[in-house]
Amino acid sequence: MTIIDQLRRNRWFARCTAPVQEALAAAGRTVALRAGQWVYGEGDECTGIAMVLDGMLRLEAAVGQRTVLVGIARTGDAIGQSQRRGGGPRIVTARASRTSLVVTVGDLALERIGGEHPALWRAVSELVYGQLDASVHGLAQMLALPPRARIAARLMAFADSGVAPLTQADLAELCGLSRKAVSAHLAALERSGTIARAYGKVQLLDVAALARLVR
């Protein structure tokens, strides 16, 4: 399987025009990451796009002396922005939560591709908008929903094929709760037949019941 075939499994890449896809695939750098290894750090001046071919990335932001999990990028996700088109330095740190494979395209390559294929910049704008939309709705859920509903919302947001690849520690950070509180809520949801817990993931058995919690 060629790199472009692998990249077409990425949701953002698949929406790009064929010429943009070909140019991104040619310019992309494939990086194999160990658990804990950074893709980039918060505040980095060198920006660009990262597409997750396999694995999962933690998106973290510094709050004082702490680093807080604010999002997850899974297989099929793309993240990033371009400082050359009105953006700024990296907003978050992205690092692998487990062994992962990522394709990165830096700003210099994006500028070159965009000069030849202006449709790239529309795609980059859509990517940035999607990240902003996820951040705003995640914040709204944190402010408006009670704890169990927050957990339900995060499980649904990060579930692929009915499985959310999140640990209890991940959910605690994403929901602003203690691990003990998250464990108690997950246990109640499991007893009701709504979810099933497994190592490093949560299976969603009754999505409709989770959705009712969020309403």
Side-chain angles (χ1 to χ4, degrees):
M1 183 180 294
T2 65
I3 186 64
I4 198 167
D5 290 330
Q6 294 180 65
L7 282 168
R8 282 177 177 144
R9 297 177 177 178
N10 184 281
R11 288 177 284 273
W12 174 77
F13 183 90
R15 293 193 297 271
C16 294
T17 64
V20 169
Q21 287 183 5
E22 292 171 4
L24 288 170
R29 174 172 169 260
T30 304
V31 183
L33 301 167
R34 301 182 302 276
Q37 191 172 356
W38 284 20
V39 182
Y40 53 76
E42 181 178 355
D44 283 356
E45 295 290 336
C46 296
T47 55
I49 303 303
M51 294 169 280
V52 185
L53 291 184
D54 187 50
M56 190 168 76
L57 305 180
R58 291 173 56 91
L59 308 180
E60 302 168 332
V63 180
Q65 300 301 311
R66 297 176 55 204
T67 299
V68 179
L69 179 67
V70 296
I72 295 287
R74 304 148 295 168
T75 300
D77 286 342
I79 54 173
Q81 86 273 12
S82 174
Q83 186 165 217
R84 288 174 172 264
R85 290 285 166 155
R90 296 288 190 183
I91 299 170
V92 298
T93 293
R95 65 181 180 92
S97 64
R98 57 176 183 256
T99 301
S100 300
L101 192 65
V102 176
V103 172
T104 63
V105 184
D107 265 343
L108 287 175
L110 290 176
E111 188 73 17
R112 176 175 52 78
I113 295 167
E116 299 171 359
H117 308 288
L120 169 73
W121 298 120
R122 179 181 179 86
V124 171
S125 294
E126 290 174 352
L127 175 62
V128 173
Y129 177 83
Q131 293 169 102
L132 176 61
D133 180 69
S135 296
V136 168
H137 283 90
L139 176 59
Q141 290 167 354
M142 286 282 286
L143 293 172
L145 296 177
R148 190 169 299 177
R150 271 184 252 166
I151 293 169
R154 289 300 190 179
L155 289 174
M156 289 189 296
F158 292 115
D160 284 322
S161 302
V163 177
L166 301 172
T167 66
Q168 292 188 24
D170 292 336
L171 281 168
E173 288 189 77
L174 289 169
C175 297
L177 301 168
S178 69
R179 290 181 65 176
K180 183 177 180 180
V182 167
S183 180
H185 286 295
L186 290 177
L189 290 170
E190 194 165 39
R191 286 194 299 271
S192 69
T194 305
I195 65 162
R197 289 178 288 180
Y199 182 75
K201 61 186 178 182
V202 179
Q203 184 179 2
L204 280 58
L205 303 177
D206 190 343
V207 176
L210 290 171
R212 285 194 293 272
L213 289 172
V214 180
R215 289 174 189 159

